[in-house]
Amino acid sequence: QVQLVESGGGLVQPGGSLRLSCAASGIIFSIGEMGWYRQAPGKQRELVAGITRGGGSNYADSVKGRFTISRDDAKNTVYLQMNSLNVEDTAVYYCKADVFLSISTMKPFWGQGTQVTVSS
């Protein structure tokens, strides 16, 4: 039906940068809010950043000033630019999209997750 495919994770040294991408495909009427979440071992999944269709964004306090979320609606893609990474950012990162399958039917979809490891 609808798939979200993430890419861009990997191993990076403290202070480094990564850019995550998440592309949605399938039968999509439009996409509402999109977001990035993360889950570290032994911890609950938490919101990292969200972005509305109008471009309004919000961030977790722990990433403000370091991470930037953006979207390209022509490509049904959301991005997360992560700078000044530290070991506490190590987690599996998931994207989420509120997908309108029709003008009146909306369902949330999740990506499969991409590992980000910050280590020296």
Side-chain angles (χ1 to χ4, degrees):
Q1 197 176 27
V2 173
Q3 282 191 321
L4 271 60
V5 178
E6 297 130 336
S7 60
L11 173 65
V12 63
Q13 291 186 337
S17 298
L18 284 174
R19 188 190 193 213
L20 305 183
S21 300
C22 173
S25 63
I27 301 174
I28 298 171
F29 180 78
S30 66
I31 300 178
E33 185 157 344
M34 306 181 83
W36 287 95
Y37 293 71
R38 67 185 180 187
Q39 187 166 19
K43 294 187 177 181
Q44 288 189 331
R45 189 174 298 189
E46 62 174 356
L47 174 68
V48 176
I51 186 167
T52 66
R53 186 168 179 83
S57 59
N58 60 290
Y59 296 91
D61 287 343
S62 59
V63 307
K64 282 181 181 176
R66 300 187 298 122
F67 291 10
T68 303
I69 189 170
S70 61
R71 62 190 286 169
D72 183 340
D73 289 328
K75 297 180 179 180
N76 289 333
T77 299
V78 62
Y79 305 96
L80 186 67
Q81 178 66 43
M82 306 186 293
N83 299 328
S84 302
L85 285 160
N86 57 57
V87 295
E88 289 77 26
D89 296 316
T90 296
V92 178
Y93 284 70
Y94 299 89
C95 68
K96 176 180 176 281
D98 292 337
V99 178
F100 285 86
L101 305 176
S102 70
I103 195 169
S104 59
T105 303
M106 188 276 284
K107 286 185 62 177
F109 289 89
W110 290 86
Q112 81 285 357
T114 185
Q115 178 70 46
V116 171
T117 302
V118 185
S119 175
S120 56

